[in-house]
Amino acid sequence: MKALQIVESAYRCTIEEQDDPSVWICQAMKGAGAELDILLRGNAVNYAVSGQDASGLVFGDKSQTQPPRLDQDLQRAIEKGITVYVVTDDVKSRGIPEAKMINGVTQIARQNLPGLFGNYDQIWHW
């Protein structure tokens, strides 16, 4: 079974965690032998922007001492053999220059998503 993980809700749990649970679980599952890939869409395309720095992140009197490094998490996922797709339309609508994307992401137009979905046995939407 091959699954596609669609991540659309961005920065989930980054107040209390140093990672996004959906990206983390994908890496853990890949390590256990699962066949899966990640599709970033909506605000989650920001995860693929290289060089993010959330140090100094503070909410009231709560400092995030272990800030998320989502670009690095995705880079490690790619290195493990997980294909990371980003919806090109969402990247462009947010004004993200292509040069700012991490190495190895695969861009896909929204109109081509149905064809991509057909390559997977299951689609999980986070």
Side-chain angles (χ1 to χ4, degrees), residues 11-113:
Y11 305 104
R12 176 192 334 242
C13 300
T14 54
I15 294 173
E16 62 273 342
E17 299 288 338
Q18 64 270 11
D19 53 29
D20 179 286
S22 55
V23 174
W24 175 84
I25 195 70
C26 288
Q27 289 187 58
M29 290 171 59
K30 180 71 172 182
E35 290 187 61
L36 50 83
D37 294 317
I38 299 171
L39 170 70
L40 302 174
R41 66 181 298 170
N43 289 330
V45 298
N46 289 307
Y47 285 9
V49 174
S50 180
Q52 297 182 43
D53 182 8
S55 61
L57 184 62
V58 176
F59 297 90
D61 61 356
K62 165 83 170 100
S63 294
Q64 173 51 288
T65 59
Q66 306 240 330
R69 291 177 174 79
L70 298 164
D71 57 336
Q72 294 173 24
D73 292 343
L74 286 175
Q75 195 68 63
R76 280 191 296 277
I78 292 168
E79 291 166 5
K80 287 184 175 187
I82 297 172
T83 300
V84 176
Y85 297 95
V86 294
V87 177
T88 307
D89 312 69
D90 294 337
V91 170
K92 288 180 181 176
S93 72
R94 284 157 181 79
I96 300 170
E98 191 171 328
K100 289 295 290 178
M101 303 299 285
I102 61 172
N103 293 326
V105 296
T106 301
Q107 295 198 23
I108 186 165
R110 182 174 288 116
Q111 68 185 20
N112 296 329
L113 291 178

